[in-house]
């Protein structure tokens, strides 16, 4: 955690030495789920859960239309799962469930394409690298929470972001509203050493939709 904070400090204080950079905070909501299936007999279903996004953004325009964007974000993501539990009698079958939630550091690197004048519209896309720093589960019925051991999931995540938004000069900076979809490309399920994947296994990959706003300050002004 100390190393990540050190990276963030360097990110915020080194960037200003470069001309034409815009920097600022990003805040908002993240809605996430996870695709995947443990085996051909698995009836578990995944659903979406809300989370937060908070971090810092740096943008470097290359011309009036194209710019590069780098971010360091803390997000909470995960999924809710439901399954049917059957007791000794069929009439005792009931729906059970739990929520898995992770705290992650994400570093997106995006290409941004901007159009318009007073109100500007933009599209953005690019890869992200993520690191899970904590995880916990919450039982749907009892509300009990439990820490997930770090060896039970892969801490590294890699994927793609695609999205867009609208921005406008407001006061000394630019206010931007951003909507993006995240597509994880890495299987995040961690099998114990030597354990083979069951028949019908499908990789568990993160999916998220984030709605955020950023306020960007031009370092040249």
């Amino acid at each position: 955690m100390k190393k990540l904070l050190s990276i963030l400090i360097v990110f915020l204080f080194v960037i200003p030495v470069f001309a034409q950079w815009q920097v600022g905070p990003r805040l908002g909501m993240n809605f996430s789920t996870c695709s995947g299936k443990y085996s051909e007999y698995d009836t578990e279903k995944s659903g979406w859960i809300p989370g937060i996004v908070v971090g810092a953004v740096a943008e470097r325009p290359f011309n009036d239309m194209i710019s590069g964007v780098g971010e360091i974000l803390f997000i909470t993501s995960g999924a809710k799962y439901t399954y049917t539990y059957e007791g000794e009698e069929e009439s005792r079958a009931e729906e059970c469930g739990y929520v898995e939630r992770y705290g992650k550091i994400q570093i997106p690197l995006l290409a941004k394409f901007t159009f318009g004048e007073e109100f500007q519209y933009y599209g953005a896309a690019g890869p992200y690298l993520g690191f899970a720093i904590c995880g916990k589960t919450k039982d749907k019925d009892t509300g009990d929470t439990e820490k997930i051991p770090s060896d039970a999931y892969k801490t590294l995540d890699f994927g793609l972001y695609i999205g867009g938004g609208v921005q406008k000069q407001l006061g000394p900076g630019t206010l931007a509203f951003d909507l993006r979809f995240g597509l994880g490309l890495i299987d995040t399920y961690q099998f114990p050493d030597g354990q083979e994947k069951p028949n019908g296994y499908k990789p568990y990959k993160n999916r998220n939709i984030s709605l955020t706003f950023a306020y960007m300050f031009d370092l040249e002004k």
Side-chain angles (χ1 to χ4, degrees):
M1 188 64 181
K2 291 182 179 179
K3 291 182 179 180
L4 293 172
L5 291 175
S6 298
I7 293 173
L8 179 58
I9 292 172
V10 171
F11 181 82
L12 293 175
F13 286 95
V14 172
I15 282 176
V17 304
F18 300 98
Q20 297 183 331
W21 283 92
Q22 294 179 321
V23 298
R26 182 177 297 283
L27 301 168
M29 293 290 296
N30 181 60
F31 300 90
S32 61
T33 189
C34 191
S35 66
K37 186 176 182 180
Y38 188 76
S39 73
E40 58 185 324
Y41 305 107
D42 185 12
T43 59
E44 191 173 69
K45 298 180 180 180
S46 61
W48 295 80
I49 63 170
I52 63 168
V53 181
V54 58
V57 187
E59 181 176 339
R60 172 64 162 85
F62 299 115
N63 54 44
D64 292 340
M65 181 181 294
I66 303 173
S67 57
V69 179
E71 303 175 345
I72 294 183
L73 307 173
F74 173 79
I75 73 168
T76 55
S77 66
K80 65 179 179 180
Y81 298 93
T82 56
Y83 59 94
T84 300
Y85 170 79
E86 294 188 7
E88 296 179 356
E89 300 177 6
E90 185 177 351
S91 60
R92 292 180 56 192
E94 59 182 21
E95 187 177 85
C96 304
Y98 61 97
V99 173
E100 284 188 349
R101 194 180 302 273
Y102 300 91
K104 298 182 178 181
I105 300 295
Q106 273 192 359
I107 305 176
L109 298 174
L110 310 175
K112 181 178 177 182
F113 304 89
T114 306
F115 310 90
E117 296 182 2
E118 182 177 359
F119 277 95
Q120 294 184 313
Y121 304 90
Y122 64 86
Y128 71 81
L129 188 64
F131 305 90
I133 58 177
C134 61
K136 67 178 182 179
T137 62
K138 182 177 181 179
D139 187 271
K140 173 185 174 182
D141 297 318
T142 65
D144 294 339
T145 60
E146 183 178 352
K147 182 179 178 181
I148 304 175
S150 59
D151 60 356
Y153 58 89
K154 294 179 181 177
T155 57
L156 179 66
D157 186 25
F158 176 78
L160 298 173
Y161 270 125
I162 184 169
V166 59
Q167 63 187 32
K168 187 182 187 304
Q169 183 74 28
L170 187 65
T174 301
L175 180 63
F177 289 93
D178 187 280
L179 175 66
R180 65 179 68 164
F181 175 72
L183 179 67
L185 301 178
I186 292 179
D187 184 2
T188 59
Y189 192 89
Q190 180 79 11
F191 282 94
D193 292 339
Q195 180 178 333
E196 295 184 0
K197 296 179 181 179
N199 293 332
Y201 176 81
K202 294 182 180 180
Y204 286 81
K205 298 181 179 180
N206 293 314
R207 304 286 185 264
N208 71 281
I209 299 173
S210 60
L211 179 61
T212 63
F213 71 89
Y215 193 74
M216 308 294 292
F217 297 92
D218 192 333
L219 297 178
E220 284 192 314
K221 296 182 180 180

